[in-house]
Amino acid sequence: MNNFQAILTQVRIVLSSHQPSQVQALLDHLLKEELLSREYHCTLLHEPDSEALARKISLTLLEKGDLDLALLGWARSGLQPPAAERGPSHSDHDGSSQCATMELGPPEGGYLELLNSDADPLCLYHIYDQMDLAGEEEIELYSEPDTDTINCDQFSRLLCDMEGDEETREAYANIAFPEELPADLKHWKPAEPPTVVTGSFLVGPVSSSSTLPCLPLPALFNQEPASGRMRLEETDQMPMPSSSSSSSLSCLNLPEGPVQFVPTVSTLPQGLWQISGTGTGVSSIFIYHGEVPQASQVPPPSGLTVHGLPTSPDRPGSTSPFAPSATDLPSMPEPALTSRANATEHKTSPTQCQAAGEVSNKLPKWPEPVEQFYHSLQDTYQAEPAGPDGILMEVDLVQARLERSSSKSLERELATPDWAERQLAQGGLAEGLLAAKERRRTRETQVIAMLGKAGQGKSYWAGAVSRAWACGRLPQYDFVFSVPCHCLNRPGDVYRLQDLLFSLGPRPLVAADEVFSHIVKRPDRVLLILDAFEELEAQDGFLHSTCGPAPAEPCSLRGLLAGLFQKKLLRGCTLLLTARPRGRLVQSLSKADALFELSGFSMEQAQAYVMRYFECSGMTEHQDRALALLRDRPFLLSHSHSPTLCRAVCQLSEALLELGEEAELPSTLTGLYVGLLGRAALSGPPGALAELAKLAWELGRRHQSTIQEDQFPSADVRTWAMAKGLVQHPPGATESELAFSSFLLQCFLGALWLTLSGEIKDKELPQYLALTPRKKRPYDNWLEGVPRFLTGLIFQPRARCLGALVGPSATALADRKQKVLARYLKRLQPGTLRARQLLELLHCAHEAEEAGIWQHVVQELPARLSFLGTRLTPPDAHVLGKALEAAGQDFSLDLRSTGIDPSGLGSLVGLSCVTHFRAALSDTVALWESLRQHGETELLQAAEEKFTIEPFKAKSLKDVEDLEKLVQTQRTRSSSEDTAGELPAVRDLKKLEFALGPISGPQAFPKLVRILTAFSSLQHLDLDALSENKIGDEGVSQLSATFPQLKSLETLNLSQNSITDLGAYKLAEGLPSLAASLLRLSLYNNCICDMGAESLARVLPDMVSLRVMDVQYNKFTAAGAQQLAASLRKCPHVETLAMWTPTIPFSVQEHLQQQDSRISLR
């Protein structure tokens, strides 16, 4: 038993439930008992940390004193230890339990006051359930799982000290005892009748100097051997006069020796303790907490079945991750740990439960400065943005992972799962954070990253997390701190941890040192949000920086980040980061505990956002018209999956509808932003837009978006930009800091500067399209929207584009740049570009709206387009479909691992120019089901006819399962009345590879065998894998049974599958079914010995179509080799027999090769 942990638990309870004056009295008593020196006594009096004080007192009592003696002396001084130290249970005499409305601590006074009070033991349990046990190891209470022997000397001594008090005697008289015996049991006299005591069995010190003998225990009832159970029919309840003096209870004086507390097992229900021991005078004592049992509810002797006893429901798991388990509370009685869900036993009024819930939410009690800071922090995050800024749509959180961009590259990028393979974070934000916290190891910092492209709403999401905590939806955290990272990106500044928590958030907070000390002690209850993590790219070496566990002096930002991510500062906290899925810092997130991706709006959510935007703007009469405008522009509708672009569309629609003219949205992103900035540019100071564009470009080259006040060319430009909403104060920024209203706006302004600037040489302009990166000094394309905006601004008609922004006089340079870019784009060969660059080229050509460039690009598209592993967003799918339609030729598309959504997949598949397509099996089957449910018969038929899986390689168990679903779909389709025939994807499959490895291979192969016969055109079956599938003899036996249906099979590769002689024998039995079709058979690197070689030699003459057979690296010897060679002489049709193996002497192999040159030894 861990004595220190047991003492520390009790001392914590004592300190947390008393006033400072009472704690001082305890220290004075320890000094009086000479357990503390005077100097140490003074030190403890000035100890500000309650946890440190509890540990120091516990160590002193463990080393020098006795905890019982210390508490007993404290009680005699008139200051009772807390009643909940032993966790008593209480029930009203009428059988109904009540929830007492309590203060922030347990009732003052001793056990007698608690007995007479209305305090509910469940409420007391919730009080101590919230106490800080996070930093302690699990308390070991029992040396054995079922029983624990305690020292009866202390137990008896405490009882004798309590027995003399008069109030104790009267209190115990108030406990119900049976007075009459059941009539049917009066003739049965047991030798040692058991004793039943109801109510609370309380043990504790008293402040009584008198000593009285223990109360005698009357014979409660008689026993009858034939009945096999005990019964209690009546009880008398004796009133107890109230008393103000402090006392405790006593009922039984036990002799010295061991006393066993037998926990509840199948023979004893919860709330029932059995005490037995030699010399007690009775055979057993049952102490029952709760209501007095009815006639049929008295517990039986040990070993008999209990009938009719009130059962307690299962214990619920505590909501606190650090709540002690039942075995961690040695002083807590059983009913206090039991659920109160049974309405027949525990009836609680709603008002009482609400009061108890309020008490539970406030506990543990914090110091006043901490409480004030907590409420001020809540007020900071609780305010919701007004108007359209406050519109929040519940988007999907997708579990993400990072993977290498290529086999030769060490850089990682966001993996692209198929649409059906996406793993959504169940339960949304709160459940996702709670699940991630439960998986964390104790006292380990947890890093959670939320990734998403610019404009996907990561900052809005971070704000939603803070508001959720302020509204009580994240109870696992006591404090949440949200810090925009642009506030930290200040060269030369030094920071302390206090600065990060209190000074750099949306609004600086004033916090005393006591608040900071409290937070540091409980880091597991802290959530730290670092928004826009990519802003800290300059600090990318922090993972390898050095930082002490608690630096006393301010350090650099890199040192502070190193302390957090190396788990030296605030160790045990939760770090929540939001970042874009690219850049150097993303590489450091590959080892994060959890990665999520913000998926953006669905098509329905985008339309719902438009409706809510006009509702919040007070323009409900324009809702339908605005939605119709958006639907008329499918390209902008596809871009509305980005919340930023969806808001921009709403802003332009609002401006157009206010004019009252015939409104029409533009068809490009360039036109969208020209429409938003056109009126603002004309009303600004001369050259203001060009100056702001230059500033946007220069900041983008430095990977920055925050503008210092002194960076503006003039105060007029700054005032104009703020008035038009082009720049704004970001959350947490100082008065001198501004930022562009969106990242896409900065990209547009950067492209505008490239268009207008004379500083950019003509020959350098094509590099900013980022289509053919240069090997030397490549452009990193941090402003990733620049290429599309640049082509749009240069090629679109001047009057409605560039001229509308800066006037016709400033567009002279754009004409020369237009010629340079046109010559560059027309020299490009789209067929040589990688998939990502090809999509970017299509977007640029679409933005240009120049017929010559568009026709050149679409006519040069290759007939076979593969986007394998390249993410296809809704705008990508739209512009690709438009290009395919304009090309005038047939295409075959590979859309596997693109993450394309069902609507995008359906739109591409439905194009008449797409003759074949490959996509994830799960996505395709889901598309078919959707089309079937919506009654789109023609599109369904086209999707089935065009789909192909040739060739198919199964690399995971899911691949086999998806293939099985595809075959099942065909079988269901063939059995239906309205359709007939096989699915082309199944019917035309010719090559099937199986490469799952030694672990998943044997598990998945039986599933593959069950569907093999469905592939009637299968010609190549490859069961070889570099890591070996190991299907074994059983797999070969199952495979051989399918040979009669595989009439087109020409190549069978069974290499590296752990096949022995038995498998070779089973294979030889089935091979004659393939005699007319099989051309190549490989059994390379198996375990075939001479018997297996003999089986193969026997069947070899029957394989009339076999041309090549490979049995190298097996286990047969010269005897097996000679049998194969002899059989080969009977097979003139066989061209090659590869037979080299280390178990055959080389001389024998050479001799066999000399006899037959078809034998290969390579």
Side-chain angles (χ1 to χ4, degrees), residues 403-413 834:
E403 64 181 10
R404 288 185 178 181
S405 55
S406 65
S407 58
K408 299 181 180 180
S409 174
L410 296 178
E411 293 187 0
R412 296 178 180 271
E413 59 183 18
R834 291 180 295 178

Side-chain angles (χ1 to χ4, degrees), residues 177-465:
F177 287 96
E179 200 171 49
E180 297 182 5
L181 298 177
D184 57 345
L185 296 178
K186 287 187 177 181
H187 299 289
W188 180 47
K189 302 292 183 180
E192 294 180 358
T195 302
V196 176
V197 183
T198 62
S200 297
F201 183 75
L202 306 176
V203 178
V206 297
S207 59
S208 176
S209 59
S210 60
T211 303
L212 297 176
C214 291
L215 296 176
L217 294 174
L220 299 179
F221 43 79
N222 296 328
Q223 297 180 355
E224 183 174 301
S227 65
R229 72 176 69 180
M230 296 171 292
R231 304 197 339 173
L232 181 63
E233 294 214 350
E234 294 182 2
T235 60
D236 288 342
Q237 300 178 358
M238 294 171 284
M240 181 191 71
S242 61
S243 176
S244 60
S245 62
S246 178
S247 63
S248 278
L249 307 175
S250 65
C251 68
L252 177 64
N253 187 6
L254 300 176
E256 296 184 359
V259 177
Q260 290 185 338
F261 282 74
V262 182
T264 57
V265 289
S266 59
T267 58
L268 294 177
Q270 293 187 12
L272 215 57
W273 289 356
Q274 178 183 13
I275 304 178
S276 60
T278 306
T280 58
V282 291
S283 61
S284 57
I285 304 172
F286 295 93
I287 303 171
Y288 180 71
H289 292 266
E291 301 174 2
V292 178
Q294 300 302 320
S296 62
Q297 294 176 342
V298 179
S302 177
L304 298 178
T305 305
V306 181
H307 300 280
L309 278 170
T311 59
S312 299
D314 295 335
R315 297 180 183 176
S318 172
T319 58
S320 170
F322 303 105
S325 62
T327 58
D328 291 335
L329 297 173
S331 302
M332 191 67 67
E334 187 77 13
L337 303 179
T338 307
S339 171
R340 308 299 296 271
N342 194 334
T344 60
E345 285 189 38
H346 308 287
K347 300 176 182 178
T348 306
S349 67
T351 305
Q352 292 167 337
C353 289
Q354 182 178 0
E358 293 173 355
V359 171
S360 177
N361 290 335
K362 294 180 180 178
L363 295 174
K365 185 177 181 180
W366 291 337
E368 187 63 25
V370 179
E371 285 280 353
Q372 293 177 356
F373 176 79
Y374 171 79
H375 291 300
S376 66
L377 193 62
Q378 275 188 321
D379 296 339
T380 300
Y381 296 130
Q382 224 162 11
E384 295 187 5
D389 290 337
I391 301 177
L392 292 176
M393 306 295 293
E394 189 71 24
V395 297
D396 292 334
L397 299 183
V398 182
Q399 296 183 22
R401 59 184 177 86
L402 295 175
E403 64 181 10
R404 288 185 178 181
S405 55
S406 65
S407 58
K408 299 181 180 180
S409 174
L410 296 178
E411 293 187 0
R412 296 178 180 271
E413 59 183 18
L414 200 61
T416 306
D418 294 318
W419 185 265
E421 291 180 353
R422 300 184 313 155
Q423 298 180 2
L424 302 182
Q426 300 297 329
L429 160 68
E431 291 296 329
L433 288 176
L434 183 59
K437 185 177 180 68
E438 290 176 349
R439 293 193 299 267
R440 176 182 66 181
R441 293 190 302 173
T442 305
R443 286 204 176 275
E444 282 296 328
T445 298
Q446 188 175 41
V447 180
I448 302 174
M450 172 60 63
L451 304 178
K453 283 191 173 183
Q456 291 294 92
K458 300 182 296 297
S459 295
Y460 280 97
W461 185 85
V465 173

Side-chain angles (χ1 to χ4, degrees), residues 927-946:
L927 175 65
W928 291 344
E929 290 297 327
S930 176
L931 295 176
R932 184 177 292 107
Q933 292 174 3
H934 289 83
E936 301 183 39
T937 307
E938 294 183 4
L939 185 56
L940 173 61
Q941 183 177 359
E944 291 179 344
E945 293 293 333
K946 296 176 182 179

